């Protein structure tokens, strides 16, 4: 009985020590979320390659090796954000995440007009303003109404084989994330 009590006390003390260590490490790991890593790599409204093919260490780990990816951070308090990419690739997909990394909206080239990436991210209030007088430049764009202030737009493009690598790289490098003047 005495040995069992001794083992229980050692177990409880050990669990308490592990619990305190985990609590002390939470700030260390929470500083390394996708938003923070992108903020260290680039400014707001700048498309940044996420894969290692762009040179340097990848901004986000575990990117599928058959896909190249780029992302930009945005703040809808500054206005709506337009994301465009010229050119054709075999397949692309795009996602909008809030600052915490929760997926708000996803779509791919099959949802886009003529398969081209042209999307606008905006708040519900900004959507009301845009609907009153839709600029001609936004005809055919995909509108993503997001109830967020800050977020991340991620574009992924499929690389079927080695011959597509330069084309897909050019697609992502020429993509733009900008604040239009409407």
């Amino acid at each position: 009985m005495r040995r069992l009590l001794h083992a229980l006390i050692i177990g409880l003390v050990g669990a308490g020590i592990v619990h305190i260590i985990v609590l002390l490490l939470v700030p260390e790991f929470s500083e390394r979320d996708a938003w923070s890593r992108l903020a260290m790599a680039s400014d707001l409204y700048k498309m940044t390659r996420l894969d290692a093919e762009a040179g340097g260490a990848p901004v986000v780990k575990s990117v599928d090796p058959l896909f190249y990816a780029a992302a930009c951070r945005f703040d809808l308090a500054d206005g709506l954000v337009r994301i465009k990419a010229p050119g054709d690739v075999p397949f692309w997909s795009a996602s909008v995440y809030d600052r915490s990394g929760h997926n708000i909206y996803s779509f791919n080239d099959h949802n886009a007009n003529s398969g081209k990436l042209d999307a606008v991210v905006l708040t519900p209030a900004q959507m009301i303003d845009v609907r009153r007088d839709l600029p001609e430049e936004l005809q055919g764009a995909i509108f993503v109404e997001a109830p967020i202030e800050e977020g991340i737009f991620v574009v992924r493009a499929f690389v079927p084989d080695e011959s597509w690598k330069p084309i897909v790289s050019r697609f992502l490098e020429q993509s733009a994330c900008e604040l239009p003047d409407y």
Side-chain angles (χ1 to χ4, degrees), residues 34 37-51 54-55 57-60 63 68-73 152-155 172-173 175-177:
R37 282 186 260 152
L38 269 172
M40 288 189 289
S42 66
D43 294 327
L44 286 170
Y45 313 107
K46 184 173 188 309
M47 292 300 281
T48 304
R49 292 282 300 267
L50 300 178
D51 50 79
V59 175
V60 177
V63 174
Y68 287 173
C72 78
R73 296 177 308 122
I152 302 171
F153 192 94
V154 178
V155 180
L172 292 174
E173 289 162 6
S175 63
C177 176

Side-chain angles (χ1 to χ4, degrees), residues 106-155:
S106 295
F107 58 97
N108 61 39
D109 58 347
H110 297 291
N111 307 110
N113 191 13
S114 71
K116 303 286 186 196
L117 175 57
D118 185 6
V120 177
V121 182
L122 64 173
T123 64
Q126 292 167 334
M127 185 69 167
I128 291 170
D129 291 339
V130 168
R131 282 188 178 173
R132 286 186 191 138
D133 187 23
L134 183 64
E136 194 167 320
E137 299 87 43
L138 297 182
Q139 302 276 340
I142 295 174
F143 288 88
V144 178
E145 190 176 312
I148 58 175
E149 279 197 28
E150 296 175 320
I152 302 171
F153 192 94
V154 178
V155 180

Side-chain angles (χ1 to χ4, degrees), residues 1 10 23 29 53 55 87 95 122 146 165 170:
M1 185 70 180
I10 289 176
L23 287 177
F29 287 107
E53 288 293 323
S95 300
L122 64 173
K165 284 186 173 184
R170 190 172 40 249

